[in-house]
Amino acid sequence: MDRTLYNTYVDILKTQLVPAMGCTEPIAVAYAASLAAQALRKSEDAGPAFVRRVHISVSSNIIKNVKSVIVPNTDGLHGLEAAAAAGIVAGDPTKKLLVISQVTGAQKELIRDFLQEADFVVEESDSGELFDILITLSSDSHTAQCRIAGTHTNVVRIASDGTTELEKSLAAESNEEHSQLEALLMEKIVEFAGCVEIADVKEVLDQQIRCNMDIAKEGLTHAYGARIGQVLLKARGNDPVTRARAYAAAASDARMGGCEKPVVINSGSGNQGITASIPVIIYAEHLGSTQEQLYRALVVSNLVTLHLKCGIGPLSAYCGAISAGCGAAAGVTWLYGGGFKEIAHTVVNALAINSGVICDGAKASCAAKIASAVEAGLLGMEMYRQGSQFHGGDGIVSKGVENTIRNVSQLASQGMRKTDTEIIKIMLQG
């Protein structure tokens, strides 16, 4: 394999598969708030009580994904105000998406007090960016501001009292990341999975296996959310398909329910990181696969998920778990000995089955959508293993896997824009 492309794929895995605690949108709000508080403290040598006013301006998709999900380490609080308050009171900005991973009991009380004492203003951003967070903090005599845009940790502006500490073009980093992800192609992903030196990816994949399975077990043993994982195991038995769906759903149950365990994300999403990895791990156990086979299958599942998500974008009306379910099925197909042809047909079949499932924000029902996405992916795999497939011209399916992926990207990024607007309108009415 071309060495430059090889290094690009390794770098993609290392930069995209990172740990995060909680739903990544409220965590990004907490991260921005912690950076703004840090900037304000340079003028005010005091604790969070000096912050009198918190102005939160975010894009509509951030509103959608923060509205209902519990912010971890807050004793059950949810919403933009809670996320910002956690970042201001207890955030460690050096930890980025783990910004509120080490909150003490005393700080949890301070977060609740701060929510009562400070003046919070929330508004929808008019910047036109799909992913935009602007936090402005004011004390009696000073102000500070932080803006994150494009992706969850892309800090584009920090300022205090009108003096800019950091400012950079939103397009520069976003374009660089997008260009890197555009190097992903199904055939090259399969080639890379077959030749990658395990030492180059072992650390990041070990962390994904450890973190994501740990939170799955948490979700199966405690009453988080709607307990979708527990319901599946009780109702459907213990076969590998059910276990793959149940463990993935249980991890989301816990994560959406405020569990304080981290997950390793994919495409900026914990739910997608969960969906892309856990079914592959379950099937590796079921098939008695070697550790090396598991690593290579996870390379397939993660990179296929990232490839499918690249053209859709980080936030849309299209449920990202669908892409990750396809990725998981691609990884399982690898475990069964499948190559490019088998993996390509699995992905096309899966996309034909479930594309169009809506994203109506982060909340308990995400776990059920994950279960559905995993089932669709595994059905797509079984179809091809048994000599059945969808063909070009069947709805959004075109001849060639890359053409079908482009069709789905167009559907999600362009065709569902009005759907996204209506979803947000409905959610805000509730």
Side-chain angles (χ1 to χ4, degrees), residues 225-270:
R227 299 182 297 106
I228 299 299
Q230 296 178 33
V231 169
L232 278 168
L233 287 178
K234 186 174 182 179
R236 300 293 173 83
N238 200 37
D239 62 276
V241 175
T242 300
R243 286 203 307 278
R245 297 173 65 210
Y247 273 71
S252 179
D253 283 325
R255 181 171 171 269
M256 297 291 95
C259 177
E260 295 165 7
K261 292 180 180 291
V263 302
V264 171
I265 66 176
N266 182 302
S267 305
S269 164

Side-chain angles (χ1 to χ4, degrees), residues 35-47:
L35 286 166
Q38 183 181 68
L40 192 59
R41 286 190 188 99
K42 294 176 181 178
S43 302
E44 297 270 5
D45 186 18

